[in-house]
Amino acid sequence: MCVTCGCGGDNNHAHEHSHSHHSGDHHHEHTHVINLEAEILAENNQFAAQNRAFFKDKKSLALNFVSSPGSGKTTLLEETIKRLSGQHPIYVVEGDQHTELDANRIRSAGAEAYQIQTGKACHLDGHMVGHALEHLNIVDDSFVFIENVGNLICPALFDLGEQAKVVLISITEGEDKPLKYPDMFFGADLVIITKLDLLPYLKFDLAACEANIHKISPRGKIIQLSSTTGAGFDEWIKWLHAAKNYLS
Amino acid sequence: MHEFSLCEGIVKQVSRANAGVLDNVSQIKIEIGKLSGVDLESLIFWFPVVAEKLACRQIQLEVNEIDGLALCSKCNQQFTLTNLYDACPHCQSYAEYQILQGRELLVKSFSLIN
């Protein structure tokens, strides 16, 4: 029994005693080291695990959509909702620093939405998403789309409890984005290249972009699409149904 | 900016292990992998701010950075992985590897003043 903190056992304790002597004074400092080996993200991961168990219980597929701001996440979701309506219930958790604008767009497209306003925070976390789910009346056999804060850095580290992470990159961003922000693409289950309809007006090398994605995620699935023309949507909807069958 | 959240995570893990008490914590040792997606400079910048907020005192932070180490699945050789987009230096294949270390985000230990 450790007398300092009252914990049981001595096997994970080390004691360090340092003595220092200054001009005749005798300082006797005792520090007591406790080994911990705890994940820094342990608290977030616990909330994420609760969310994951909730999605499993509801036999639903939850996806975490991440990208830079303005890559077309909300537009992709609006068009996806229109195509999936009548097949499965769809719920959207929206994450933005401010405003309810995106949740309103999702509601207009025909799905139930809850907006998280993160204020100063740059990413969603498992705790925020858990509370957001309390506001949605999620029924069995649904799609739950979580639109993260537009940011290619911070959301990479925070598990939300999703079954798959979808990274978007628009062709207006440049084909080198995957190399500049590798952490985000490293964890991607699917990469969607958006705004394909703008290709004739841009100097964007699609093959180089795909090669860069595959340098980080060699077997990662890539879908090219345009939410404006609908190109690539058949493949995307097919992926969604397959993911729902396999993962939920 | 997510380093602020990570600093909160560090202090919370110690608090949890020390029955909610932070008054007697003098030092925390952490391990950060170089491939973990953390900007160490930013983490070190934010830590005193978070310690002051959560513990109302300063806590010394000792960081051990861990190099990235990978095992190539193509040629079965180990190599130092500096960036997630680097090719295996032995067979030049991309991303066909298992990361052995470098993704750590751990609170290793903490010191209490007796």
Side-chain angles (χ1 to χ4, degrees), chain A residues 4 30-43 46 122-123 154 157 179 183 215-216 218-219, chain B residues 1-2 5-6 9 12-13 16-17 36-37 84-85 94-96 99 105-112 114:
Chain A
T4 309
H30 289 267
T31 55
H32 177 107
V33 178
I34 296 178
N35 291 328
L36 190 53
E37 297 287 340
E39 289 285 342
I40 292 173
L41 288 166
E43 193 178 46
Q46 279 169 9
C122 46
H123 57 270
C154 309
L157 278 179
L179 302 184
D183 295 302
K215 279 181 183 175
I216 300 161
R219 278 172 287 271
Chain B
M1 196 37 206
H2 59 285
S5 306
L6 296 178
K12 280 181 186 172
Q13 287 308 307
R16 189 185 277 191
S36 64
L84 291 170
Y85 47 84
Y94 280 103
E96 298 279 351
I99 295 180
L105 282 174
L106 285 175
V107 183
K108 294 295 286 181
S109 66
F110 57 97
S111 301
L112 299 175
N114 286 350

Side-chain angles (χ1 to χ4, degrees), chain A residues 65 73-74 77-78 91-108 111-119 121 123-125 127-138 144-150:
Chain A
F65 290 80
K73 294 187 293 300
T74 315
L77 291 180
E78 287 173 310
Y91 303 88
V92 178
V93 175
E94 280 290 341
D96 278 300
Q97 198 183 6
H98 284 284
T99 79
E100 186 90 10
L101 293 169
D102 278 1
N104 289 336
R105 283 174 61 184
I106 295 297
R107 289 176 194 124
S108 299
E112 207 180 311
Y114 182 79
Q115 178 81 48
I116 299 173
Q117 293 185 40
T118 59
H123 57 270
L124 293 181
D125 62 33
H127 185 232
M128 294 178 200
V129 170
H131 280 303
L133 296 173
E134 293 167 2
H135 295 269
L136 298 167
N137 305 302
I138 297 174
V144 181
F145 299 144
I146 305 163
E147 184 182 334
N148 218 313
V149 178

